[in-house]
Amino acid sequence: MTNLHQKPTNIQEIAARTRAMAATLGIEKFDVVGAATEESTVQVNEGKPQQMRASKRNSVTVRVWNREGLTGIASTNTLDDQGIRTALLLAKETSAYGNAEAKVDFSPEAKDTLAHSTAPRTSGPPEPGMSEMLASLLAAEAQVVAGHPAIRSLPYNALTQKTLERFYINSDGAAREEASSYLSTYLYTRAEQEGRKPRSAGLSEVATSLDGLALPALAGKVIEKTISYLDYKRINSGTYTVAFSGEAFLSLLEAFSNMFNAQNVLDKQSLSSEEDLGKPFASPLLSLNDNALHAANKLPHGFDGEGTPTRDVTILDKGVLRTFLHSAGTAKRMNTRPTGHANMGAKVTVGSHFWNVQRGEAPKAERLLESESSVVLVDEVHSLHAGVNALQGSFSVPFSGWIFENGNRVSIESATVAGDFRALLKAICFVEESAEHTPMGVCPRVWVDGLSITSETDS
C-alpha cells in the first residue's frame, strides 16, 4: 500500500505549474485547494472477512477571479497539467456567472504563520497492512461475542486506516500543506434475551496508530455497555431532568450547529441572528469553543479550505454568544475576521472542526447521578435525520439510556426525548467537570431541566 507520507505532493512544484498555466490562459487571480486520500477498510462477520476494500483519490477545487471581480469554481480529480488546466479554463468560463452581490476575495490570513503544522513525514513506522487490520478486528469480534451469553453478534463493525494530504495555494504567493494518518473503528453489538426485544450498543474510536486504538480495551467497553442495556424496564412518560452524555449532547449540538454558522445566519437559515451576538444565549453554566488544534483531537489541521489558519474559537462564554464560525466571505460581510472554518467545494461553505464544551460558571453545588432520583441519563440519541427540525429548533428522537432511582441505574426499554434546542440551552441546570472524549469533540455530561420523555410503549 502506498504511503502518502513517503511520497508527498510537491506543493511548490504544483504552485509553479499552476501559475505558469494560469498566465498562458490570461488568468491573473486564482486559488487552488486539494487533497490526496488513501484509505483501507476491513469488516468482519462471524469470524470471517466480510469486506476488504482500498481506495486512492484526489480532489482539487480551483477558483478563478475575472477582471470584474466575479468568481468561478471548478473541480478535478487529477493533479497533472491537463487536469489543472481544464479546471482553470472551466472556472474562468463560469466566473462570468459569479454572484456580483456577494463578491469574495482571498482570506486576509492566507499567508499568516500557522500555529500548527503537520508536514508530510519522510520516515516513521509504516501503517498497518490489511492482514494486520483484519486479524485485529477478528480478535475484537471474538472478544465481544464471548463477553456475554446474550451478545449474539457484532453485525456492524469496521476498521479503517486513512492517510490524507491537503494543500492550498493562491496567485498571491500563499502555499500551505499538511498531512495526517489515522485509524478509526466502530463496534456495534446485537444482544438477544428470551422474551425481550433485541438490544444494541456501540462505540467508535480514532487514533494515530493501531496500538493507540486499543481495540481490546474498546471491545471491553462495548461489552460493558451492552450488558448495561439488558434487563430494561418501561419508563413512565413525563417531564424529567435529563443528563446527556458527552456524545449525546455533541450529537444534538452538531444537528443544530446552524445557530453558530455565519453562512446560515446570513442566509436566514439559522436559529440565531447577528443581533444575538454579545447577548445571553445559553445558561451561564455552559461555555463552548471550536478548536481544530485541541490536544484531544486526533485529526488536527492547521488551515481551512481558504488557507486561513485554524485556532481556538470561543463561541459561548458563560452562556453569552461571542462569535459565529466564519469563512473569509462571511467574515467580510459581518465586519470581523475569518475563524478558519471554510470548506471549498462547488461553493464555499462553513463547518465546525472539533467541539470543546466546558463548564462555564461554577455550579452552586456538585451533583452525582448516583445520588439522584428520577433523573434520566441519555447515553445515545438516534434517528437525528428524522427527529430534528434544524430550522425550527425542535427535536424528538429515540434514545438509549438509563433512569437513576435511589442510586440504582435501570436501563430504559424504549423512549424518546423531545424539546426545543434553544430552550434546552437556557434550561441547563448542571455541567459536570469531567469531560468525555469523542471523535466529535470533548464534552462533559450536561444536565437539563424540564425535558419531555415519552415511553414508546405509550404511543
Side-chain angles (χ1 to χ4, degrees), residues 140-194:
E141 181 195 40
Q143 179 183 344
V144 170
V145 174
H148 191 276
I151 301 177
R152 302 299 177 85
S153 63
L154 195 70
Y156 304 106
N157 62 79
L159 176 56
T160 298
Q161 188 275 326
K162 190 172 185 177
T163 55
L164 171 67
E165 186 181 1
R166 304 172 59 241
F167 69 88
Y168 172 85
I169 60 175
N170 69 27
S171 54
D172 193 38
R176 306 193 186 281
E177 64 177 319
E178 64 182 3
S180 59
S181 179
Y182 65 93
L183 289 99
S184 60
T185 189
Y186 63 87
L187 306 175
Y188 201 83
T189 62
R190 179 182 175 86
E192 299 178 16
Q193 291 177 300
E194 187 175 352

Side-chain angles (χ1 to χ4, degrees), residues 212-233:
L213 207 57
L215 271 173
L218 184 66
K221 292 177 183 177
V222 171
I223 294 168
E224 181 181 354
K225 188 173 184 179
T226 305
I227 294 172
S228 73
Y229 284 169
L230 302 176
D231 300 322
Y232 57 80
K233 294 182 180 179

Side-chain angles (χ1 to χ4, degrees), residues 246-247 250 294 296 353-357 436-443:
E247 179 184 350
L250 289 177
H294 194 284
H353 295 313
F354 191 80
W355 299 111
N356 181 16
V357 178
E436 174 186 344
H437 291 198
T438 80
M440 287 187 292
V442 295
C443 180

